[in-house]
Amino acid sequence: MPEIFKSPAFVISGQDLGESDRLITFYTMARGKVRGIAKGAKRSRRRFVNALEPFTMLNLSMVPPRTTGLNRIDSTEILDNFPLLRNKIDCYVMASLCCELVNLWTKENDPQKDLFKLLRWYLDSLNEGFPPRKTTLFFKTLLLALAGYAPDFDLCLLCKRPPIGNHVVFKLHAGGFICNECRKSGEKTHKISLGTLKSLRHIQNGSLDSLHRLTMTDAVLEEAWSLIKSLHCHHLEQVPASYVAVNGLKLEIGK
Ligand SMILES: [Zn+2]
């Protein structure tokens, strides 16, 4: 009998599998990303009583395959289903984006306790009513760092000095910026204000407990959002599908 695997977990993705089953992707505390088949979940919702809905935090028990094949989900016990997040469309769309990013950035069986903690903090924050776009920016900036792609927001790539003036030019591929002194005239791509740079530095170096105290103007938030999105897309070599829904939100809310 294979040993049952147990861990606190978040549901980060799910898809139908054949006539009656679902294939669920979790981010677990013990093993990082794992996938498991939910037998009969498509036919009868009662079997797992909403435990396999996106973002649910649960105690997961899974049985590994005897030889090859998929893990089988044995039992689930809901720890938190973040009900307030679920009822707000902007929160739901943002949380979907962040779960997709976790799925894209992680390998199976590669646990990162800090990522589990970050995901918990993020879903708690949305559920407690913190602004979704700003909270999502925090999450994505920190996720990039956990994935090993933390940009250098401190010193110019060329002269290694702190920036002066109003703007710098960000180099996505190099993960850093070129200051006004070093930049050749005419370079317009990813022009970033020093205020945005300072906010991103604060997010990257700050602790989760104090992040929500950071104030940002709308202009800084949008500039930071655009840069962090570009960095994710550049390193992942794709635009995550959830951005379609996120961009739709922007039109609806007008911001
Ligand atoms: Zn420089």
Side-chain angles (χ1 to χ4, degrees), residues 9-81:
F10 291 101
V11 176
I12 58 168
S13 151
Q15 64 190 82
D16 290 341
L17 195 69
E19 291 281 296
S20 56
D21 305 335
R22 288 197 36 95
L23 180 63
I24 309 292
T25 306
F26 300 96
Y27 197 83
T28 67
M29 185 147 38
R31 284 194 199 159
K33 183 165 81 178
V34 292
R35 296 193 305 161
I37 181 167
K39 287 273 183 200
K42 201 179 152 192
R43 218 169 21 206
S44 161
R45 282 221 172 296
R46 254 182 324 181
R47 168 87 172 87
F48 293 102
V49 238
N50 298 330
L52 302 178
E53 295 298 314
F55 335 125
T56 306
M57 186 185 181
L58 45 89
N59 269 329
L60 173 68
S61 298
M62 225 158 42
V63 184
R66 280 206 188 84
T67 48
T68 56
L70 292 161
N71 301 307
R72 181 175 55 76
I73 299 165
D74 181 54
S75 72
T76 53
E77 178 206 349
I78 295 177
L79 296 172
D80 199 339
N81 63 1

Side-chain angles (χ1 to χ4, degrees), residues 149 157 169-178 187 189-190 227 230-231 234-235:
Y149 288 94
L157 285 164
V169 171
F170 210 89
K171 298 288 183 189
L172 294 181
H173 62 278
F177 64 87
I178 306 226
E187 278 184 301
T189 48
H190 291 293
L227 176 62
S230 299
L231 282 163
H234 173 79
H235 291 302

